[in-house]
Amino acid sequence: MSENVSHEKKGFVEYANGPSLEEINGGIKVPKDWGFWKTLFAYSGPGALVAVGYMDPGNWATSITGGQNFGYLLMSVILISSLIAMLLQYMAAKLGIVSQMDLAQAIRSRTSKTLGVVLWIMTELAIMATDIAEVIGGAIALYLLFHIPLILAVFLTVFDVLLLLLLTKVGFRKIEAIVVCLILVILVVFIYEVVLSNPDWFGAIKGLVPVERTFSSSNPVAGMTPLSGALGIIGATVMPHNLYLHSAIAQTRAIDHNDEEDVARTVRFATWDSNIQLTFAFFVNALLLIMGVAVFKTGAVQDTSFFGLFDALNNTKMLSNPILIGVAKSGILSTLFAVALLASGQNSTITGTLSGQVIMEGFINLKVPLWARRLITRLISVVPVLICVALTAGESTLKQHAAINDLIENSQIFLAFALPFSMLPLLMMTNSAQEMGGRFKNRLWVNILGWISVIVLIYLNAINMQPAVAGFFSDNPTAAQNAEAGVIANIINVVIILLLIWTLVELYLGNRRLKNR
């Protein structure tokens, strides 16, 4: 159910009501007579761009800190998040391929203008929350590698828009290849560092099974409870904007929509591509958590920020075994860590900008140049980072670094709150025979797992709201602050539930309206 192409120039801003990411939509042809592996290679790429969001600097902060604080306890959360991600990204790609609309366009076609704007703003905020982690990660990498002052490095991250401009000239297939190469850099770096650390592999595998303590909201360590750590990992792993992005870039391969078998083939290979790339992302995140547990001596790293981890990789007194100590003396461990951090931030630049364009065109039918969009959102994201740096300027170095780390982790928790507003519409639309047809409508097991995932996430968000709000008062809030946080948390939870009900009602009515046409 694609919408007619219509572009009406209005100077710097264009009216957009055509195919998703029109410049690259259907631009890559895949012959039908190729074998499995050659065809899979031709369809590979969109999954890599999606997987980038699952291993950005926000994931680093939550996974490494979770490992330092709770050992292998949260390994199960990384596994569960990755499996949910595979399910959701499969549905997102299927929606785009079958309906010829991205998720934002599909939502907007069923909801009022008011709700469309509300959901657009919420998704924009989620992208900016992701941007905060990218700003911090990129700036710290520049500081660590080239000794550029942190404030200057923060502003230099704004100029990654020049990289984006360059990439838009080389073609989408080459962008996919560059992203895959950067993912491999990150993966190789962490495999190298973790293997050297000789971790407790049995403990790591045992941690893949969730236990009652995994989602406990008590017994915090360094201001983090297992529940807040788990939600940080979920928010950093399953990102709302990735669902919008995948539903758009899954349409970059040319499809004959009059041939149901061609549509089915595209869905099948898009799913293979997505699952393979997300498996790589799972291993990266698992390696990050294992690194937090095994590379350093237990409790040795007081500063779990990127600064502290970089320094710890140079400090032989903090490392856990003689092999690591020997390699650390060369400085290679810390340098590789900073290189991987920089690669992660640059990868996220590409996908974050494309996601922003998708939601702006889909929700409010407006289009601006990619470089301008990137510049605006990045400058906005720089503000909270600068405020954080300014407010802690008189504090100790350890407290400054902790504040920056807290900013990253809290931004990822926000993503977990925003996620149900993308998950619910995706579930409803991919289960619609009107939209997907009988063949591509969700199977019963997909629907059941999807609804269980979103209900559990909403519940976990609700019970974590009070400690999350209390954390803004202090790492050790008083009884009065906890009581005040409880009131604020209840108000926020009610607002979120009402917004979710509003979204569900409008989507239901929108589905009925389309069905009766």
Side-chain angles (χ1 to χ4, degrees):
M1 190 185 295
S2 61
E3 300 181 28
N4 295 327
V5 178
S6 175
H7 284 288
E8 180 184 316
K9 288 207 170 186
K10 296 183 180 179
F12 183 70
V13 179
E14 289 184 50
Y15 175 74
N17 195 30
S20 185
L21 295 177
E22 188 172 359
E23 298 84 353
I24 57 176
N25 191 292
I28 301 172
K29 292 181 170 54
V30 183
K32 296 182 181 180
D33 56 350
W34 283 357
F36 176 84
W37 293 108
K38 194 173 181 181
T39 305
L40 178 60
F41 179 77
Y43 278 102
S44 296
L49 273 87
V50 168
V52 163
Y54 294 84
M55 57 183 90
D56 74 343
N59 293 77
W60 292 41
T62 53
S63 296
I64 294 175
T65 305
Q68 272 283 294
N69 290 345
F70 306 112
Y72 297 112
L73 180 68
L74 300 183
M75 280 286 286
S76 60
V77 178
I78 294 177
L79 177 61
I80 293 168
S81 298
S82 298
L83 293 174
I84 292 172
M86 290 179 185
L87 183 71
L88 295 176
Q89 297 299 164
Y90 153 71
M91 287 191 282
K94 182 174 68 170
L95 175 69
I97 292 165
V98 176
S99 73
Q100 303 178 67
M101 288 194 291
D102 60 54
L103 180 57
Q105 290 172 331
I107 293 173
R108 183 66 188 87
S109 70
R110 288 165 171 74
T111 57
S112 64
K113 186 174 182 179
T114 303
L115 180 58
V117 170
V118 170
L119 294 177
W120 169 64
I121 292 171
M122 185 173 296
T123 312
E124 287 282 11
L125 290 173
I127 291 177
M128 289 176 192
T130 305
D131 246 4
I132 288 172
E134 292 166 19
V135 168
I136 294 172
I140 292 175
L142 291 172
Y143 168 81
L144 296 174
L145 287 170
F146 307 110
H147 308 292
I148 297 171
L150 189 59
I151 295 293
L152 178 58
V154 166
F155 280 106
L156 283 177
T157 64
V158 173
F159 292 98
D160 64 10
V161 70
L162 299 175
L163 171 68
L164 184 69
L165 278 174
L166 175 65
L167 290 176
T168 56
K169 305 296 182 185
V170 302
F172 193 72
R173 195 74 174 124
K174 292 186 179 67
I175 291 176
E176 291 173 346
I178 291 167
V179 167
V180 170
C181 289
L182 290 174
I183 288 173
L184 290 175
V185 168
I186 298 166
L187 183 62
V188 168
V189 166
F190 288 121
I191 288 176
Y192 175 72
E193 297 198 347
V194 167
V195 168
L196 286 180
S197 71
N198 190 27
D200 174 10
W201 292 111
F202 177 75
I205 293 170
K206 185 179 176 183
L208 293 172
V209 180
V211 295
E212 185 178 353
R213 183 169 167 253
T214 303
F215 299 101
S216 169
S217 58
S218 57
N219 301 318
V221 178
M224 175 189 281
T225 64
L227 176 59
S228 62
L231 285 172
I233 288 173
I234 293 169
T237 304
V238 191
M239 292 190 174
H241 67 268
N242 263 343
L243 303 178
Y244 295 95
L245 176 66
H246 205 179
S247 63
I249 59 177
Q251 301 179 55
T252 54
R253 273 54 178 176
I255 307 167
D256 179 3
H257 281 89
N258 294 316
D259 181 356
E260 192 175 84
E261 290 305 317
D262 193 34
V263 176
R265 179 183 75 144
T266 305
V267 171
R268 184 170 68 255
F269 280 101
T271 305
W272 271 100
D273 171 43
S274 175
N275 288 346
I276 289 169
Q277 302 292 350
L278 289 174
T279 299
F280 282 128
F282 162 72
F283 282 116
V284 168
N285 286 320
L287 289 168
L288 284 165
L289 188 140
I290 292 170
M291 183 178 174
V293 181
V295 170
F296 312 105
K297 292 178 182 176
T298 304
V301 183
Q302 298 301 310
D303 181 357
T304 56
S305 69
F306 295 138
F307 298 101
L309 294 169
F310 180 87
D311 290 339
L313 288 169
N314 274 324
N315 188 337
T316 57
K317 294 180 180 179
M318 292 190 180
L319 299 177
S320 61
N321 68 50
I323 297 175
L324 278 172
I325 291 170
V327 177
K329 289 177 181 176
S330 68
I332 193 170
L333 291 180
S334 56
T335 300
L336 286 175
F337 177 82
V339 167
L341 182 59
L342 189 60
S344 175
Q346 292 312 305
N347 251 349
S348 302
T349 289
I350 302 165
T351 56
T353 306
L354 288 173
S355 303
Q357 193 64 52
V358 169
I359 66 164
M360 181 179 279
E361 289 184 27
F363 277 125
I364 59 174
N365 298 133
L366 291 182
K367 179 179 182 179
V368 298
L370 284 178
W371 66 266
R373 181 186 162 81
R374 184 60 181 175
L375 200 59
I376 293 167
T377 56
R378 178 49 63 93
L379 285 171
I380 293 172
S381 302
V382 161
V383 173
V385 181
L386 293 177
I387 291 172
C388 180
V389 172
L391 290 176
T392 58
E395 303 285 348
S396 66
T397 301
L398 183 60
K399 286 189 176 180
Q400 290 176 27
H401 293 174
I404 292 174
N405 216 41
D406 287 345
L407 179 60
I408 297 178
E409 289 164 11
N410 287 329
S411 71
Q412 304 310 297
I413 292 172
F414 171 78
L415 292 175
F417 291 119
L419 186 57
F421 292 93
S422 303
M423 290 174 68
L424 284 172
L426 182 63
L427 277 165
M428 292 185 70
M429 283 179 286
T430 52
N431 197 47
S432 166
Q434 174 72 18
E435 194 65 70
M436 307 302 292
R439 179 169 181 176
F440 300 106
K441 179 183 173 183
N442 287 342
R443 294 178 182 177
L444 180 62
W445 69 267
V446 171
N447 225 29
I448 290 172
L449 289 177
W451 280 102
I452 289 173
S453 299
V454 73
I455 291 169
V456 169
L457 179 60
I458 292 169
Y459 170 74
L460 292 176
N461 281 335
I463 63 176
N464 186 59
M465 185 65 76
Q466 191 274 340
V469 173
F472 283 96
F473 290 111
S474 165
D475 283 344
N476 297 295
T478 64
Q481 289 172 333
N482 274 322
E484 188 177 346
V487 173
I488 296 171
N490 287 336
I491 293 171
I492 295 173
N493 281 331
V494 168
V495 171
I496 289 173
I497 295 298
L498 290 175
L499 276 173
L500 285 169
I501 292 171
W502 182 16
T503 303
L504 282 170
V505 169
E506 289 214 6
L507 287 170
Y508 173 75
L509 294 176
N511 269 340
R512 289 190 61 181
R513 185 173 63 251
L514 290 173
K515 186 176 181 179
N516 294 329
R517 277 183 181 176

